Amino acid sequence: MNIAKFSALTGLSSHTLRYYEKIGLLANISRDASGHRRYSSKDVEWVRFINRLKDTGMPLAEIRHYAELREAGDATFDNRCHLLERHRDALKLRLQREQEHLQALDAKIAYYQSHKP
Amino acid sequence: MNIAKFSALTGLSSHTLRYYEKIGLLANISRDASGHRRYSSKDVEWVRFINRLKDTGMPLAEIRHYAELREAGDATFDNRCHLLERHRDALKLRLQREQEHLQALDAKIAYYQSHKP
DNA sequence: CTAAAGGTTAGAGCATGCTCTAAGTCAAGC
DNA sequence: GCTTGACTTAGAGCATGCTCTAACCTTTAG
């Protein structure tokens, strides 16, 4: 598929997609005869996973690191797995903190509502 | 208290504290005879609340809006309450999404572990 | 008196993550 | 052949949120 369709499927603008390729998040995107990018459904999966990592707070530099390990093949299997585990643990912690924040916000709102001037 | 102690209590650097004052998050910080800032324990509470809003993803511009409402007194009570409610609702949604992300990560990690090459 | 420690200001600089622009290429339809 | 539209590139510009610098002022201890 071309960049427009890929953009629609991944939710990233074509500008952003080219940018991600430039910084090493997407490698080996194939080209058609006239030099236009042709994305595959595997690319869709990968960019959706990138979006997941991004949405859970992983910086692009670390995602690029993961991408490089992925490119390097099976030898980096454990390495990638540990990277994901560390990220998951950080996410768990963050979720706990955010639960606390949510409770505190609820309490503040309840206070506002019971103290209307 | 002086800026160094306040910095220690709030976890923000003195640079950041002056910056927050400049952009309107902190208003009416008092000064001593030689022009140095003197922070009160109310200021500690307020900055801790700012940190909470920040940690739950509220941009500084919106926190500044909340700060301005707060400065304006009781007339903005409802307004502030609604702002917090909207933020809480957004936070709830985000927590749900992050729970899903966490599950997906766990699944990916489980896959990695069951498919070691 | 002097030096050190801690504060002040305005404003420059930086990291991240886009977002857009300019100039050009290519393929399809009239 | 020419226009239109979607693509290409390198690189500039922007928004957010700090982070640091330079030059200067006070207070305190020796």
Side-chain angles (χ1 to χ4, degrees):
Chain A
M1 75 194 78
N2 64 9
I3 199 167
K5 179 146 189 228
F6 191 67
S7 168
L9 286 180
T10 59
L12 299 177
S13 75
S14 49
H15 292 301
T16 301
L17 288 169
R18 293 190 201 99
Y19 168 66
Y20 278 12
E21 206 175 320
K22 186 159 57 179
I23 66 172
L25 265 55
L26 281 64
N28 306 321
I29 301 299
S30 57
R31 302 293 182 120
D32 68 12
S34 58
H36 294 191
R37 289 169 181 81
R38 310 260 77 187
Y39 295 92
S40 71
S41 51
K42 290 227 164 188
D43 295 328
V44 176
E45 291 311 304
W46 170 230
V47 169
R48 285 187 176 161
F49 188 62
I50 289 177
N51 279 336
R52 196 183 287 289
L53 294 177
K54 229 185 0 166
D55 289 351
T56 49
M58 189 183 285
L60 298 189
E62 194 172 348
I63 300 178
R64 179 181 55 213
H65 181 211
Y66 182 85
E68 286 164 358
L69 293 176
R70 194 168 162 273
E71 288 298 313
D74 283 352
T76 65
F77 209 86
D78 286 1
N79 208 329
R80 271 183 275 163
C81 190
H82 290 146
L83 192 157
L84 289 188
E85 281 172 348
R86 280 194 303 277
H87 184 59
R88 179 200 50 193
D89 294 346
L91 175 59
K92 265 189 185 165
L93 253 180
R94 196 148 49 74
L95 272 162
Q96 280 171 27
R97 298 257 163 71
E98 285 182 339
Q99 288 286 1
E100 290 166 19
H101 286 316
L102 181 59
Q103 280 175 28
L105 266 182
D106 272 331
K108 183 109 178 174
I109 289 166
Y111 174 86
Y112 263 111
Q113 281 169 346
S114 65
H115 285 74
K116 285 192 180 178
Chain B
M1 76 193 77
N2 65 8
I3 200 166
K5 181 149 187 223
F6 191 66
S7 169
L9 286 180
T10 59
L12 300 176
S13 76
S14 48
H15 291 301
T16 301
L17 287 169
R18 293 189 201 101
Y19 168 67
Y20 278 11
E21 207 175 319
K22 186 158 59 180
I23 66 172
L25 266 55
L26 282 64
N28 305 320
I29 301 299
S30 57
R31 303 291 183 120
D32 69 11
S34 57
H36 295 190
R37 290 169 180 82
R38 309 261 77 186
Y39 295 91
S40 71
S41 50
K42 290 228 163 187
D43 296 326
V44 176
E45 291 312 304
W46 170 230
V47 169
R48 286 186 175 162
F49 189 62
I50 289 177
N51 279 336
R52 197 184 287 288
L53 293 177
K54 228 184 2 164
D55 288 351
T56 50
M58 187 182 287
L60 297 189
E62 194 172 348
I63 300 178
R64 180 180 56 213
H65 181 210
Y66 182 85
E68 285 163 358
L69 293 176
R70 194 168 163 274
E71 288 297 312
D74 284 352
T76 66
F77 210 86
D78 285 1
N79 208 328
R80 269 182 277 164
C81 191
H82 291 146
L83 192 157
L84 289 189
E85 282 171 348
R86 282 194 302 278
H87 183 60
R88 179 201 48 193
D89 295 347
L91 176 59
K92 265 189 185 166
L93 254 179
R94 197 149 50 74
L95 272 162
Q96 279 170 28
R97 298 258 164 70
E98 287 183 336
Q99 288 286 0
E100 289 165 20
H101 286 316
L102 182 58
Q103 280 174 29
L105 266 182
D106 272 331
K108 183 109 180 175
I109 289 166
Y111 174 85
Y112 263 112
Q113 280 168 347
S114 66
H115 285 73
K116 285 192 179 178

